[in-house]
Amino acid sequence: MRKRFEQGHETPAWKSRPELYDDLAHVWRAWVELHAGRQYVSLGMAGCAPQPIMFFELSAWLDLSRIDGQDERDEMTALVRALDVEFLSWAAEKRGT
């Protein structure tokens, strides 16, 4: 998209993309990594629905990332969970539920 935008092509998605602040990039990367292992539940003919990132998966990710300080762990947990709530709300809205 960026390349198309730089070439002068109309790219509404690029223009309306959210801004990612440098000091929060590590939170986004954490969520993306955890999102890749997300489980989905079947809704039958209606498709499937994403499940929340499990606490034990987030805790294991924090361990593997060597994030040891309790304050840092608490902050990362809160921020990743907040992103996940937004994603789950978006996914539910997209499904029309």
Side-chain angles (χ1 to χ4, degrees), residues 9-95:
H9 298 283
E10 184 67 24
T11 51
W14 182 259
K15 288 180 180 179
S16 65
R17 73 191 185 284
E19 184 176 349
L20 179 60
Y21 298 105
D22 290 339
D23 62 332
L24 293 174
H26 67 290
V27 177
W28 177 252
R29 284 191 300 273
W31 182 84
V32 168
E33 288 179 19
L34 289 160
H35 173 71
R38 180 186 302 282
Q39 295 184 17
Y40 288 78
V41 65
S42 173
L43 299 175
M45 297 291 286
C48 61
Q51 297 300 291
I53 292 171
M54 304 299 272
F55 179 76
F56 72 87
E57 291 171 335
L58 179 51
S59 181
W61 184 91
L62 291 166
D63 291 343
L64 289 169
S65 299
R66 294 187 172 94
I67 298 175
D68 298 322
Q70 192 59 50
D71 289 344
E72 191 176 359
R73 290 176 73 90
D74 291 347
E75 180 180 36
M76 182 65 85
T77 297
L79 292 170
V80 168
R81 285 176 129 7
L83 277 173
D84 207 40
V85 165
E86 289 299 317
F87 169 75
L88 294 170
S89 296
W90 172 83
E93 185 178 307
K94 189 174 176 185
R95 284 191 317 276

